[in-house]
Amino acid sequence: MDKRQSIAESAVEASEQLFPERRLRQAWDPVVNTCYAALAAYLAATESPEHDPQRPPAPGSSGHSFDAVREQLIAASRGVDEFYGSHRAHLEHSQALLSAVPAEAQQAVAVADAARQRLNAIGAPFADYPSVQTSGAGLRSSVAALDGALAGRNAKQIREAAAGVRSAAAAVEQAVLRAPDQERAAAQGLRSVTTRMAAVSTRAEGLAPAFSLLLREFNAASSADLTNNECSSRRIMAEAEADLTAARTALAHGDPERASALTTSVRAHLARAEELVDMVTDRLILLRSVRDNPKARENDVRFKLRDAQMLAVTRGVVQEWASVLDAQVDRIDRVVGQLNGRNPDYWGYVSGLDAVSTFISGVVQRMRTGSVDGTS
């Protein structure tokens, strides 16, 4: 029993050090207390004045107590076996990991030494790159954490700190490998974004004429939400130009990483400027197509509504959804009625029909999932 208990105890201790969240000690304590009780009973029986290991107990003596102690020891041993069997995989895994902790720490120290050597050998100007400096600081921090964990002799913290050192060393390796290519990559990025800047500037020149056409051809409400697009586009293009100039300066002063970061910012500005331009030009194209054939959009929505009504019949949910879907007919009629007059609001027409279409899609989804929530 004592040997089995010792094996299980060391495994439980490994689990407590590495996986305290498992709280295996709480399950083990009742088992080991049973062992202690059995051992105490054994010692008490063997220390009895009547005990003589050379003779069997006489009738009427305390020999029956030895039988009870033997059964108690057997039961305690069985409890240890059952506990270990129930948690065998985890216990053996914990012991294997714990035994490997010293080697993990030693390997992490060796990896950190190799990374420091790479940093020391990189030389100027790469050593001053922000990515190299940052990775070096991360390595120093992770090594300090490992030293602290080793001093504290906490296996879990040692393993986590060793993993941190390996990760920091990998970051150093990546930064050192990338450093020589940073200047070339930054220069290439600048050339690419300069070309895109010219293209977006050309497209932006068409925003004002397109907006003017919107105002001339359609109701003012059709472009009210686009009034500030031209001004915003110019401001964003100016910000992109400023970042581009700063990127060129950074590259010229030997800071390709800052140049690359600024180039990324330029791209973001250009994407937003393009979006503002497209909103105007796309609106003009859309409204012209609707003006040429307004019934097409109306027919699409009515067809979608009929499909939804057929689905309600097919799924046997007419009682729940018929009134909701029927109400959409009136909504469509009201939207279509907005096209009366000399200068109808085609954007309001499109937006209204799109809102009905979106609502119908929501109803269809709820019918398919069995949800009942008919609000319009």
Side-chain angles (χ1 to χ4, degrees), residues 1 20 112 124 153 170 180 189 257 278 309 314 352 375:
M1 182 196 71
R153 299 180 180 277
E257 291 191 327
D278 290 342
Q309 291 170 328
T314 301
T375 57

Side-chain angles (χ1 to χ4, degrees), residues 96-117:
L97 289 181
L98 185 63
S99 64
V101 166
E104 285 189 58
Q106 186 176 6
Q107 180 200 32
V109 171
V111 168
D113 289 340
R116 277 193 290 261
Q117 292 176 11

Side-chain angles (χ1 to χ4, degrees), residues 281-352:
T281 55
D282 290 350
R283 180 74 58 83
L284 180 61
I285 294 171
L286 171 63
L287 295 184
R288 282 174 173 174
S289 68
V290 173
R291 182 182 59 189
D292 293 342
N293 186 11
K295 292 293 292 183
R297 209 170 192 90
E298 175 191 349
N299 291 338
D300 287 344
V301 178
R302 291 191 187 278
F303 183 79
K304 186 173 185 178
L305 176 58
R306 286 194 295 272
D307 275 353
Q309 291 170 328
M310 291 178 61
L311 179 65
V313 174
T314 301
R315 290 186 171 265
V317 292
V318 173
Q319 184 176 357
E320 294 88 342
W321 293 107
S323 60
V324 174
L325 293 174
D326 289 345
Q328 305 317 302
V329 176
D330 294 334
R331 290 183 68 189
I332 295 172
D333 290 341
R334 287 195 298 271
V335 171
V336 172
Q338 296 176 2
L339 290 184
N340 297 326
R342 294 178 54 189
N343 191 20
D345 181 6
Y346 285 103
W347 179 240
Y349 174 74
V350 170
S351 300

Side-chain angles (χ1 to χ4, degrees), residues 112-353:
D113 289 340
R116 277 193 290 261
Q117 292 176 11
R118 292 297 304 271
L119 283 172
N120 294 335
I122 190 173
F126 309 131
D128 294 330
Y129 284 3
S131 62
V132 176
Q133 291 285 323
T134 300
S135 67
L139 179 65
R140 290 189 292 272
S141 176
S142 65
V143 170
L146 178 58
D147 290 340
L150 288 170
R153 299 180 180 277
N154 184 296
K156 180 178 177 65
Q157 293 178 0
I158 292 172
R159 292 191 75 233
E160 292 173 348
V165 169
R166 291 194 298 270
S167 177
V172 167
E173 183 73 15
Q174 184 178 22
V176 169
L177 288 174
R178 288 181 56 203
D181 292 331
Q182 293 280 33
E183 186 172 357
R184 178 191 57 78
Q188 182 178 350
L190 275 174
R191 288 193 297 270
S192 173
V193 81
T194 299
T195 300
R196 187 178 175 193
M197 171 78 79
V200 175
S201 297
T202 300
R203 292 188 60 193
E205 293 174 358
L207 189 155
F211 188 75
S212 179
L213 289 172
L214 274 173
L215 291 176
R216 287 203 305 268
E217 297 183 22
F218 299 98
N219 188 304
S222 296
S223 56
D225 59 321
L226 305 177
T227 301
N228 295 323
N229 279 39
E230 182 181 2
C231 180
S232 297
S233 177
R234 287 177 179 174
R235 175 180 53 80
I236 292 172
M237 289 296 293
E239 293 172 353
E241 185 65 45
D243 282 348
L244 183 58
T245 300
R248 289 169 177 156
T249 301
L251 183 60
H253 286 80
D255 192 352
E257 291 191 327
R258 174 166 170 75
S260 294
L262 287 166
T263 299
T264 300
S265 177
V266 173
R267 289 195 180 95
H269 287 319
L270 294 179
R272 178 54 182 158
E274 281 185 310
E275 182 181 1
L276 292 171
V277 173
D278 290 342
M279 289 172 67
V280 175
T281 55
D282 290 350
R283 180 74 58 83
L284 180 61
I285 294 171
L286 171 63
L287 295 184
R288 282 174 173 174
S289 68
V290 173
R291 182 182 59 189
D292 293 342
N293 186 11
K295 292 293 292 183
R297 209 170 192 90
E298 175 191 349
N299 291 338
D300 287 344
V301 178
R302 291 191 187 278
F303 183 79
K304 186 173 185 178
L305 176 58
R306 286 194 295 272
D307 275 353
Q309 291 170 328
M310 291 178 61
L311 179 65
V313 174
T314 301
R315 290 186 171 265
V317 292
V318 173
Q319 184 176 357
E320 294 88 342
W321 293 107
S323 60
V324 174
L325 293 174
D326 289 345
Q328 305 317 302
V329 176
D330 294 334
R331 290 183 68 189
I332 295 172
D333 290 341
R334 287 195 298 271
V335 171
V336 172
Q338 296 176 2
L339 290 184
N340 297 326
R342 294 178 54 189
N343 191 20
D345 181 6
Y346 285 103
W347 179 240
Y349 174 74
V350 170
S351 300
L353 290 180

Side-chain angles (χ1 to χ4, degrees), residues 4-64:
R4 294 171 181 173
Q5 176 188 335
S6 297
I7 293 173
E9 178 69 35
S10 63
V12 170
E13 178 60 27
S15 174
E16 283 296 295
Q17 289 194 47
L18 298 175
F19 307 101
E21 69 280 0
R22 293 288 293 264
R23 299 182 178 180
L24 210 58
R25 172 68 65 184
Q26 293 183 3
W28 169 244
D29 282 346
V31 178
V32 74
N33 287 338
T34 301
C35 293
Y36 292 152
L39 177 60
Y42 169 76
L43 293 175
T46 56
E47 291 172 0
S48 170
E50 301 178 5
H51 173 62
D52 183 353
Q54 301 299 323
R55 295 181 307 174
S61 70
S62 60
H64 64 279

